[in-house]
Amino acid sequence: MSSAPGAAELFPHIRIVMGMVVGLGITRLLMTVAGIIQHPTRSKRSLIHLLWIVSILVELVLFWWWEFALYDVTNWSFGIFGFLIFYAVTLFLLAALLSPDKLDEYEGDEDFFLKRRHWFFAIFGLTSLLDIVDTLIKGEPYLDTLGLDYLIQVPIVLALCAIAIWTANRRYHLGLVIVHLLYQAWWIWILFYTHA
């Protein structure tokens, strides 16, 4: 008689570990928002920074929601588990890069964000690639539900991230975060309100 756990036992365990990492990211962002409310004049505020906080918060929540599709995975390995934790860690790092411990050496939130943009957008671009692997783990039927739009967006996101790494232009960064928020809203609408 085999004592190895089956997929039904493994998935909740894996989801709990991913949830802890995602929860840390959400906590970090919410603590930043709480700090802004508590001390509104402590540092120079930035619309770009605030909108990225909202966007990455949405990204963390959507990641947690989308990972429920892993319930259908029947062949688990430590490699898949490690990959999923790594993916969750990249999202946590995005949250951490928006929630610095100190801003003493910067002129404010926007100055910090623009000077750390290389890290932020390199990791953000990486999450697009990781999402493809994550989708493939969930299986071809899951990929089919996302449609061609899903695959087309990856090179676009990578190109936009490359430009964001290269330029510190405030208008570009404001436009990029607005486009990303609209894109997230579009996916939420497509996935949650147009499927019966």
Side-chain angles (χ1 to χ4, degrees):
M1 183 172 167
S2 173
S3 62
E9 292 84 21
L10 283 172
F11 176 69
H13 174 71
I14 292 166
R15 197 153 193 251
I16 287 169
V17 177
M18 285 190 306
M20 289 189 310
V21 178
V22 168
L24 288 171
I26 291 171
T27 300
R28 185 106 187 187
L29 291 174
L30 293 179
M31 291 301 293
T32 298
V33 171
I36 290 169
I37 293 168
Q38 292 169 355
H39 307 285
T41 59
R42 182 176 283 174
S43 69
K44 189 176 174 185
R45 299 297 168 204
S46 162
L47 182 59
I48 295 169
H49 178 253
L50 290 173
L51 291 176
W52 273 117
I53 287 175
V54 171
S55 181
I56 298 304
L57 185 59
V58 170
E59 200 76 27
L60 286 161
V61 171
L62 287 175
F63 174 80
W64 178 245
W65 177 267
W66 284 328
E67 293 314 284
F68 192 74
L70 291 168
Y71 192 84
D72 293 332
V73 174
T74 55
N75 296 316
W76 285 99
S77 68
F78 187 77
I80 293 173
F81 170 71
F83 167 80
L84 293 169
I85 299 307
F86 178 71
Y87 188 5
V89 166
T90 62
L91 294 172
F92 167 80
L93 289 174
L94 291 174
L97 283 167
L98 292 171
S99 309
D101 294 323
K102 289 184 176 181
L103 287 171
D104 299 345
E105 56 197 282
Y106 302 96
E107 293 178 17
D109 294 328
E110 187 170 304
D111 184 48
F112 173 84
F113 177 78
L114 292 176
K115 287 182 178 171
R116 300 274 72 81
R117 73 185 188 279
H118 306 93
W119 280 101
F120 183 84
F121 288 106
I123 295 170
F124 190 78
L126 175 61
T127 64
S128 281
L129 298 174
L130 296 176
D131 195 64
I132 293 174
V133 177
D134 178 66
T135 300
L136 294 174
I137 289 170
K138 293 170 186 167
E140 195 173 323
Y142 181 79
L143 178 60
D144 291 342
T145 64
L146 300 178
L148 185 61
D149 298 342
Y150 171 74
L151 294 175
I152 291 172
Q153 60 93 25
V154 174
I156 294 170
V157 168
L158 292 175
L160 292 173
C161 285
I163 295 168
I165 289 170
W166 174 74
T167 184
N169 182 285
R170 188 181 185 283
R171 287 183 186 170
Y172 178 81
H173 284 277
L174 182 59
L176 181 58
V177 69
I178 290 170
V179 166
H180 190 254
L181 283 164
L182 291 172
Y183 181 72
Q184 288 175 311
W186 179 75
W187 268 109
I188 290 168
W189 174 257
I190 293 294
L191 294 176
F192 300 122
Y193 295 104
T194 62
H195 289 97

